[in-house]
Amino acid sequence: MIFADYYDKRLVIVQCDGTLECEINLSPLNPFDVTCIDDKTVAVTTYADNKIVIVDTKSKQVTKTIETGKCRGITHRQGQLLYCEIGKGIVGIQLSNYKLCTLVKDNTIRNDYSYITTAGENIFYTDYGSTVKCYSVKGDKLWEYKNESIMNGVTGIAVDEHGIVSVISNSNRSIVLISSDGKISRTLLTAKDRITTSYGMYFHINKLCVVSYSGHLLKFDIA
């Protein structure tokens, strides 16, 4: 597992049991989000530098720098990086030639805390408000879900094998589930389950993993 540490300007790699494997210094860059390309290569968005860096986790060196706009959440899918760009939308980068193309035009992405994930042929992303959007990888809008009564300040997002979308709702410190068709939702976890202000989230071996602002990793059985 690999985490982006904005304040200490580093990547942190830990074993599945939570023990530290290594740290990768990225100073002077402030990493915002990170995604794995393969077992020794990751892509990292930077908060203030308008660039994505490709990092070799074995040599702990930056091997490629890609100039972008204000890039935030990032994910990898089939040889392509997809990331949220403030004021623009969802941008794709082909790793074969590093060419950029806009997949989804969405100038409503205005907040720093936009996160993205994919599942199958679909793209899912957040924008810190109370809305989650789903598009096809071809750029067709499939659905948009908004429900201020149970979610706001939405950040991290993950999708399970059944297409159920999980999002972090920071305003009320909860994890919300959204149906695969984007029509209904329910609260799964709350502050009573130790959910605090959080940003990162992903699924790992039938567990929902939530990374808090304080740096704690919480794991929940979801089988």
Side-chain angles (χ1 to χ4, degrees), residues 46-102:
T46 57
Y47 183 79
D49 296 275
N50 293 353
K51 64 181 65 173
I52 292 172
V53 292
I54 308 298
V55 180
D56 185 316
T57 59
K58 302 302 181 184
S59 67
K60 301 183 181 181
Q61 298 296 314
V62 173
T63 59
K64 178 74 176 179
T65 299
I66 306 167
E67 300 296 329
T68 66
K70 293 181 179 180
C71 52
R72 294 299 180 256
I74 189 170
T75 192
H76 173 255
R77 176 187 180 274
Q78 298 180 6
Q80 185 180 42
L81 298 175
L82 297 91
Y83 68 92
C84 301
E85 182 170 319
I86 293 177
K88 189 170 188 177
I90 306 303
V91 179
I93 303 174
Q94 290 292 341
L95 290 173
S96 59
N97 54 21
Y98 296 104
K99 289 186 177 180
L100 281 69
C101 65
T102 301

Side-chain angles (χ1 to χ4, degrees), residues 3-209:
F3 305 95
D5 184 346
Y6 169 88
Y7 289 104
D8 288 329
K9 302 178 181 180
R10 61 178 180 163
L11 299 178
V12 179
I13 302 177
V14 299
Q15 303 284 357
C16 290
D17 62 3
T19 57
L20 178 67
E21 179 176 323
C22 71
E23 299 177 4
I24 300 175
N25 180 26
L26 291 180
S27 182
L29 302 176
N30 292 100
F32 180 86
D33 197 14
V34 58
T35 187
C36 292
I37 296 174
D38 55 39
D39 60 359
K40 65 175 183 178
T41 314
V42 298
V44 184
T45 53
T46 57
Y47 183 79
D49 296 275
N50 293 353
K51 64 181 65 173
I52 292 172
V53 292
I54 308 298
V55 180
D56 185 316
T57 59
K58 302 302 181 184
S59 67
K60 301 183 181 181
Q61 298 296 314
V62 173
T63 59
K64 178 74 176 179
T65 299
I66 306 167
E67 300 296 329
T68 66
K70 293 181 179 180
C71 52
R72 294 299 180 256
I74 189 170
T75 192
H76 173 255
R77 176 187 180 274
Q78 298 180 6
Q80 185 180 42
L81 298 175
L82 297 91
Y83 68 92
C84 301
E85 182 170 319
I86 293 177
K88 189 170 188 177
I90 306 303
V91 179
I93 303 174
Q94 290 292 341
L95 290 173
S96 59
N97 54 21
Y98 296 104
K99 289 186 177 180
L100 281 69
C101 65
T102 301
L103 302 177
V104 176
K105 293 182 179 180
D106 187 353
N107 60 13
T108 66
I109 297 180
R110 294 292 181 185
N111 195 282
D112 282 329
Y113 301 105
S114 299
Y115 289 83
I116 184 172
T117 191
T118 63
E121 299 296 309
N122 296 339
I123 301 168
F124 306 82
Y125 65 96
T126 65
D127 187 25
Y128 198 70
S130 57
T131 304
V132 176
K133 297 178 182 180
C134 175
Y135 281 75
S136 74
V137 293
K138 295 181 179 180
D140 299 317
K141 188 174 185 178
L142 301 179
W143 53 260
E144 177 177 322
Y145 186 80
K146 182 174 183 177
N147 187 341
E148 294 181 345
S149 66
I150 68 167
M151 65 181 195
N152 210 336
V154 176
T155 53
I157 185 168
V159 182
D160 70 12
E161 60 183 315
H162 305 293
I164 305 300
V165 182
S166 299
V167 294
I168 298 169
S169 175
N170 275 320
S171 293
N172 51 13
R173 297 185 178 182
S174 65
I175 304 298
V176 175
L177 300 183
I178 303 172
S179 61
S180 59
D181 59 5
K183 293 183 178 180
I184 58 175
S185 66
R186 70 177 179 89
T187 299
L188 176 67
L189 302 166
T190 67
K192 293 180 180 179
D193 303 294
R194 297 182 295 155
I195 299 298
T196 60
T197 300
S198 304
Y199 295 98
M201 181 167 60
Y202 62 97
F203 285 102
H204 181 70
I205 313 177
N206 292 325
K207 290 185 181 294
L208 178 63
C209 302

